[in-house]
Amino acid sequence: MAAIVKSYCIAILFLGLVTNGKELILWFCDCSFNDIGVGQVRSERLIQGKPEWNVTVTNNCSCFQVLITLACKGFQSVEYVEPSILFKQGDICMLNKGHRLDGHASIAFSYAWDPPFLLMPVNSTVICTVSGE
Ligand SMILES: *[C@@H]1O[C@H](CO)[C@@H](O)[C@H](O)[C@H]1NC(C)=O
Ligand SMILES: *[C@@H]1O[C@H](CO)[C@@H](O)[C@H](O)[C@H]1NC(C)=O
Ligand SMILES: *[C@@H]1O[C@H](CO)[C@@H](O)[C@H](O)[C@H]1NC(C)=O
């Protein structure tokens, strides 16, 4: 897997590269926030009479992504949602404090409200590392 990512990154080397000493970082990886998938399933639980939803946010791409934001207009929950996982700023929620979500990795959280919120990905910054992983 790492080897595939590596050759893929080298193939787009001409697009731009910066060294920061330890790792090579390439931008313009062929990924975007469109490769972020948000899945929600209703759990068995009711919290204060409201259904609980289990949300899984998956980076469906080989390169890691940072500063992932989700549309979360009007988002509320009677279940406490850890702000380090989902931090609401107006109509936008920052995922994982803006920290990296690795390629093909997921982050999960639950909230409780009726009806559920759509939580569409709106933005991210894609970073493709050649080494240092
Ligand atoms: C994630 O990848 C799978 C397999 O390539 C694909 O079927 C699915 O539609 C992708 N989902 C998103 C949100 O990109
Ligand atoms: C929802 O999340 C809770 C807590 O992580 C877990 O115990 C439960 O099995 C999950 N339910 C579903 C339907 O995924
Ligand atoms: C997405 O984030 C980039 C910086 O990472 C910013 O320049 C751009 O305006 C943002 N786009 C939207 C739709 O928020």
Side-chain angles (χ1 to χ4, degrees):
M1 191 62 215
I4 295 167
V5 173
K6 193 168 175 174
S7 49
Y8 176 64
C9 292
I10 287 164
I12 58 154
L13 192 74
F14 66 94
L15 287 172
L17 100 99
V18 165
T19 51
N20 71 354
K22 282 199 292 266
E23 63 184 2
L24 289 170
I25 299 176
L26 298 156
W27 279 274
F28 310 113
C29 210
D30 192 17
C31 298
S32 77
F33 67 88
N34 289 318
D35 299 304
I36 303 285
V38 180
Q40 296 198 58
V41 292
R42 191 178 168 155
S43 84
E44 308 294 293
R45 296 204 297 168
L46 284 180
I47 294 167
Q48 293 175 37
K50 305 221 186 276
E52 181 188 52
W53 305 89
N54 287 4
V55 184
T56 307
V57 182
T58 304
N59 176 7
N60 212 3
C61 186
S62 301
C63 305
F64 74 80
Q65 304 204 32
V66 298
L67 299 172
I68 298 168
T69 48
L70 307 178
C72 67
K73 193 172 198 300
F75 179 82
Q76 31 187 338
S77 175
V78 290
E79 178 175 2
Y80 178 72
V81 180
E82 195 57 63
S84 64
I85 297 185
L86 194 76
F87 184 71
K88 191 170 189 299
Q89 302 164 283
D91 292 346
I92 296 234
C93 284
M94 177 65 75
L95 189 76
N96 198 22
K97 282 179 153 169
H99 294 160
R100 65 188 282 172
L101 183 58
D102 287 335
H104 303 291
S106 295
I107 189 164
F109 62 91
S110 298
Y111 71 93
W113 198 254
D114 192 10
F117 295 92
L118 208 49
L119 304 174
M120 297 289 288
V122 290
N123 206 358
S124 71
T125 299
V126 176
I127 295 173
C128 191
T129 61
V130 171
S131 60
E133 282 275 349

